[in-house]
């Protein structure tokens, strides 16, 4: 027989937000791919009911859209904002950004899982927006360093494709990429050399 929850316990439990559900969806996606974003397992993971899910979302597609928007905000917009605040020098900002992004991509598989799910229309649209935003920001930094706009764009694309390739290899062939800072310094120097 199931025990009835203590009413005090119910009152002290924090109500889940849409961001809690989106974060759980991103964690599941990182662990097992887009197919792992399912209502019942996420409810179990969060210690919630499906009713909590339906309070925030009409269906799974709405959750996927919210998770992707959350990923865009956390993994792109907040990072760009933090870089702008933390480092006034565009060259140092570029180096710090590349170091942080490369380390982050090697640690967690979320970006690789999203790339693998690019045949899903919502994921494809989010990847296109994030790619354009990130390449645009990198291009902006190269322009601040004195590169003309077309060259700054080319270097922004090169830096971003290097990041994506690094992320893919870090997960597909663990241990292949050098872990030392000298390697990343060589990559950064090549990007900055005129």
């Amino acid at each position: 027989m199931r025990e009835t929850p203590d009413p005090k316990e119910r009152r002290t439990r924090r109500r889940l937000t849409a961001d809690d559900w989106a974060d759980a969806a991103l964690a599941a996606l990182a662990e097992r791919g887009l197919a792992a974003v399912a209502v019942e397992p996420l409810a179990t993971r969060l210690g919630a009911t499906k009713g909590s899910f339906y309070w925030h979302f009409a269906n799974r597609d709405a959750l996927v859209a919210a998770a992707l928007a959350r990923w865009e905000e956390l993994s792109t917009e907040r990072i760009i904002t933090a870089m702008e605040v933390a480092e006034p020098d565009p060259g140092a900002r570029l180096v710090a950004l590349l170091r942080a992004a490369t380390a982050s991509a090697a640690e967690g598989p979320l970006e690789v899982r999203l790339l693998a799910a690019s045949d899903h229309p919502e994921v494809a649209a989010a990847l296109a927006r994030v790619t354009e935003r990130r390449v645009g920001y990198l291009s902006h930094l190269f322009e601040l360093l004195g590169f003309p706009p077309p060259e700054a764009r080319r270097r922004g694309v090169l830096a971003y494709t290097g990041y994506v390739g690094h992320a893919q290899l870090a997960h597909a062939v663990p241990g292949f990429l050098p872990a030392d800072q000298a390697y990343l310094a060589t990559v950064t120097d090549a990007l900055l050399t005129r």
Side-chain angles (χ1 to χ4, degrees), residues 64-142:
V64 169
L68 293 169
R70 183 97 168 125
W71 168 67
E72 288 182 60
E73 173 61 27
L74 296 174
S75 298
T76 302
E77 296 308 323
R78 285 193 187 177
I79 290 171
I80 289 171
T81 300
M83 287 291 163
E84 290 288 315
V85 170
E87 182 54 63
D89 176 71
R93 196 177 325 149
L94 182 63
V95 170
L97 180 60
L98 292 174
R99 274 199 186 119
T102 309
S104 173
E107 289 171 10
L110 180 58
E111 304 255 341
V112 173
R113 297 275 196 211
L114 287 168
L115 289 167
S118 64
D119 58 341
H120 185 282
E122 289 277 345
V123 175
L127 285 169
R129 285 189 306 272
V130 165
T131 297
E132 186 54 48
R133 176 69 169 119
R134 290 174 177 180
V135 169
Y137 183 67
L138 290 166
S139 301
H140 169 70
L141 291 176
F142 282 112

Side-chain angles (χ1 to χ4, degrees), residues 4-14:
T4 306
D6 179 352
K8 289 179 190 172
E9 183 182 315
R10 260 190 285 183
R11 282 193 299 257
T12 60
R13 245 190 250 169
R14 182 177 74 83

Side-chain angles (χ1 to χ4, degrees), residues 21 39 43 48-57:
W21 282 95
V39 177
T49 65
K50 289 192 319 185
S52 170
F53 170 81
Y54 288 110
W55 177 260
H56 297 290
F57 303 101

